[in-house]
Amino acid sequence: MQQINRRMFALSVVAGMVLVGCGGEKSTQTPTGTPNSAGTTVGSPPAGGVKVVGVALTSRNHNFFIGMEQGITEELAAQGYKADIQIAEDSAPTQQQQIDTLARKGVNAIIMVPAGAKEAIACVEIANKANIPIFCIDRRVTDPSAKVASTIETDNKAMGEEAAKYGVALLCKRKGLDPNKPEDLQKLTGKVVHLWGKPEASSAQDRAEGIDKVLKQTGLTVLKAFGNFSAKTSQEEMAPLLTANPNIELIVCHNDDNAIGAYNAILDIKKAREAANDPKRIILIGMDGNQPAIEKIRAGEIEATVSQEPLEMGKETEKQVKKVLDGGQPDKPYIPIRHTLITQKEANEMKGKLWSDQLKSTAK
């Protein structure tokens, strides 16, 4: 009998190992009871009928996502909910696996930053099949048939447009042209780099559309590079491009990590950053309002960023979740969150008030 019991135990262990190994993706879920970036315990089993909200983030590699997570978890705590936070590390297949896990756990709602605009359709379908309301934050699911309760994000097209407009205005000022006159915009010649984020992300697609809308009105030659929302990748991509094109005058970036990478590439090639009024200085414009970029803007090393409000975005999303869990409907199927152009003037005047100054932790 003891031998039979030992054999059954061994078989159960092997079966468990096989189940864990299925799917081919390394699990990235937050362990049960582990504190998240905002200090809230996540992934704990529901107790006493406490509602659990699954939060599927793409990564914690950017301060923007750290701020978004902080906003979500602070509002969750205020509402008396628990969070089960999953980190996909920018992998759409991993995110799909994690959404499936959340659905099997029976969470009451899901908040998702789609890892891929098209790939996330499968995630929405999983939630729909399980009758779990799913909300998108920061990025959209592009298929109109996807049944998302509400999407809460910044108007990324408008952000791209504002970033490009400010960069073009600085170039016009340098060359004595009026950015408000179409004929002067056509006289604006030279080279500009459109530094993309992740092409599969809806935010990158929308920002690109806004940037292109502005640049097409000028006489500028547009070079394209792909930084994948990464400082390291952007630096690696920009260094050879700058070497091959020493007359580049403007770089418009899809996010601030791209801008930091481009800044580092400029230092790699030029060995120094020219003064702000030097006609040889490459103008750098980022997006998101991340802490490292804000610090560079305050120091006069980067010209500007178009800042989102991830703390506000996270809190607003959780408010919409509560409306649905209380038996109601979200305010709107699409809720835009404000954005702001931050130059050195605003960065200094608003010190302590910017979302990047209010982070409780930062990306490593």
Side-chain angles (χ1 to χ4, degrees):
M1 179 66 73
Q2 287 181 345
Q3 289 180 344
I4 292 173
N5 286 340
R6 289 194 191 100
R7 186 174 301 168
M8 291 179 66
F9 174 77
L11 287 172
S12 69
V13 170
V14 171
M17 290 172 67
V18 170
L19 287 171
V20 170
C22 290
E25 293 288 343
K26 182 180 179 182
S27 174
T28 56
Q29 72 180 50
T30 304
T32 299
T34 300
N36 72 343
S37 65
T40 304
T41 300
V42 300
S44 302
V50 174
K51 292 179 180 177
V52 179
V53 177
V55 183
L57 300 177
T58 53
S59 79
R60 285 189 178 122
N61 295 329
H62 309 279
N63 283 337
F64 175 80
F65 289 128
I66 297 291
M68 182 189 297
E69 182 181 351
Q70 180 179 318
I72 291 171
T73 52
E74 285 180 351
E75 190 63 27
L76 275 169
Q79 302 296 345
Y81 297 155
K82 285 185 177 292
D84 189 332
I85 298 183
Q86 308 286 326
I87 310 296
E89 301 299 349
D90 293 319
S91 168
T94 298
Q95 185 168 74
Q96 183 176 339
Q97 192 177 57
Q98 291 171 344
I99 294 293
D100 184 65
T101 298
L102 290 171
R104 289 176 186 276
K105 287 180 178 180
V107 297
N108 299 95
I110 295 173
I111 297 170
M112 175 178 67
V113 180
K118 293 182 179 179
E119 294 86 348
I121 295 169
C123 296
V124 175
E125 289 174 347
I126 290 169
N128 291 163
K129 187 176 180 181
N131 200 29
I132 298 171
I134 186 166
F135 298 74
C136 285
I137 182 171
D138 182 51
R139 300 175 184 173
R140 294 176 294 109
V141 176
T142 52
D143 191 327
S145 67
K147 297 179 181 178
V148 176
S150 185
T151 297
I152 297 89
E153 66 171 357
T154 313
D155 185 338
N156 285 289
K157 291 179 185 178
M159 283 183 69
E161 191 171 342
E162 186 163 5
K165 274 186 176 180
Y166 187 68
V168 165
L170 291 180
L171 273 186
C172 284
K173 182 179 179 181
R174 176 182 289 180
K175 301 187 179 188
L177 299 172
D178 187 344
N180 298 309
K181 293 181 178 180
E183 60 272 23
D184 274 14
L185 288 176
Q186 286 298 315
K187 293 176 186 176
L188 184 62
T189 59
K191 290 184 178 180
V192 54
V193 178
H194 178 171
L195 185 52
W196 272 68
K198 290 178 70 68
E200 62 269 30
S202 67
S203 55
Q205 295 163 12
D206 289 347
R207 291 176 188 192
E209 186 176 335
I211 291 169
D212 288 340
K213 178 182 177 182
V214 173
L215 297 182
K216 284 177 181 177
Q217 300 172 33
T218 72
L220 292 165
T221 299
V222 182
L223 306 176
K224 190 180 292 186
F226 294 88
N228 291 332
F229 292 136
S230 161
K232 182 177 182 291
T233 303
S234 297
Q235 184 174 353
E236 292 169 348
E237 291 294 313
M238 284 304 307
L241 193 61
L242 291 169
T243 301
N245 300 273
N247 54 346
I248 287 170
E249 296 185 74
L250 169 65
I251 305 174
V252 183
C253 308
H254 276 202
N255 80 341
D256 288 329
D257 293 285
N258 282 11
I260 293 292
Y263 168 81
N264 290 334
I266 290 170
L267 294 186
D268 288 342
I269 302 305
K270 293 194 171 190
K271 309 304 178 187
R273 188 80 165 118
E274 294 92 345
N277 59 353
D278 191 323
K280 294 181 181 180
R281 174 173 163 126
I282 298 173
I283 296 167
L284 267 174
I285 311 294
M287 286 187 241
D288 284 346
N290 282 352
Q291 191 175 62
I294 293 295
E295 290 172 357
K296 293 292 184 189
I297 290 169
R298 285 174 178 150
E301 299 295 314
I302 291 177
E303 273 67 27
T305 185
V306 179
S307 180
Q308 298 196 74
E309 297 295 335
L311 291 168
E312 181 179 333
M313 191 184 296
K315 289 178 183 294
E316 180 60 38
T317 301
E318 187 47 45
K319 287 178 182 178
Q320 299 305 317
V321 169
K322 186 177 188 305
K323 286 178 182 287
V324 172
L325 293 186
D326 285 348
Q329 296 292 325
D331 292 333
K332 296 177 183 178
Y334 181 86
I335 300 174
I337 303 297
R338 63 193 173 95
H339 61 272
T340 308
L341 178 69
I342 304 293
T343 67
Q344 188 179 45
K345 179 177 180 292
E346 287 82 17
N348 288 329
E349 289 179 352
M350 299 173 68
K351 192 169 185 177
K353 298 179 181 179
L354 299 177
W355 72 261
S356 60
D357 297 326
Q358 298 173 31
L359 283 182
K360 293 179 180 178
S361 64
T362 59
K364 296 181 180 178

